[in-house]
Amino acid sequence: MTKVSGSCHCGAVRFEVEEPEQVLDCNCSHCRLYGALVAYYPQSEVRFAGKPDTFIYQWGDRDLEFHHCRTCGCATHTTIAGVEMADKIAVNARLIRGLDPKRTKLVQKNNGNDGVFWTKTDSPVLPSHDEPRT
């Protein structure tokens, strides 16, 4: 794999990760409004250039912390509330420079429960986390 870097619009929040094999297009209200494509990593594998200067937004069950650059407001990453070094955090893959859609698999997840996506993929849509597993 190849190391890639990303940053918010103003560059105040910068990070380095391995190029993701896939990104998730979640159509929940939050991800849809921010236009995020999500890449998941163990938190220990995301290298931030300094402590990210972000503000945090929480909603619903308040289990997740949605980080936004304090200067430009870009949605940069999501962490699990109260966990210092989580098994998994999400970075906004749209902030990664040079990410090639031809090499990166797109996975859609129907958390908005309406099947509406702005992206296109030939892969089947994953069901909502609200839907019972069959």
Side-chain angles (χ1 to χ4, degrees):
M1 288 303 250
T2 304
K3 291 278 188 193
V4 291
S5 60
S7 73
C8 61
H9 189 259
C10 73
V13 178
R14 292 176 287 138
F15 60 88
E16 183 179 82
V17 293
E18 292 289 336
E19 183 176 14
E21 293 180 19
Q22 70 179 30
V23 294
L24 178 73
D25 179 11
C26 170
N27 68 350
C28 76
S29 60
H30 189 269
C31 292
R32 185 182 303 188
L33 288 170
Y34 286 108
L37 292 177
V38 179
Y40 290 101
Y41 298 92
Q43 194 163 353
S44 61
E45 293 180 11
V46 180
R47 301 281 182 232
F48 287 99
K51 184 172 176 2
D53 186 16
T54 60
F55 67 88
I56 295 170
Y57 172 71
Q58 291 181 289
W59 67 289
D61 56 18
R62 304 182 69 75
D63 286 341
L64 298 176
E65 296 177 339
F66 298 92
H67 292 256
H68 300 263
C69 173
R70 193 172 298 280
T71 303
C72 67
C74 282
T76 57
H77 62 288
T78 304
T79 57
I80 299 171
V83 177
E84 190 65 34
M85 194 54 67
D87 291 338
K88 179 168 69 169
I89 70 168
V91 298
N92 185 350
R94 290 195 187 265
L95 304 181
I96 298 173
R97 285 177 186 71
L99 192 60
D100 186 350
K102 293 179 183 137
R103 283 196 322 259
T104 308
K105 179 180 177 184
L106 175 70
V107 176
Q108 295 171 324
K109 186 158 174 76
N110 191 30
N111 284 331
N113 297 312
D114 62 6
V116 175
F117 294 90
W118 284 91
T119 58
K120 302 286 185 219
T121 182
D122 294 328
S123 300
V125 174
L126 298 177
S128 166
H129 58 269
D130 297 331
E131 293 177 24
R133 306 260 177 207
T134 56

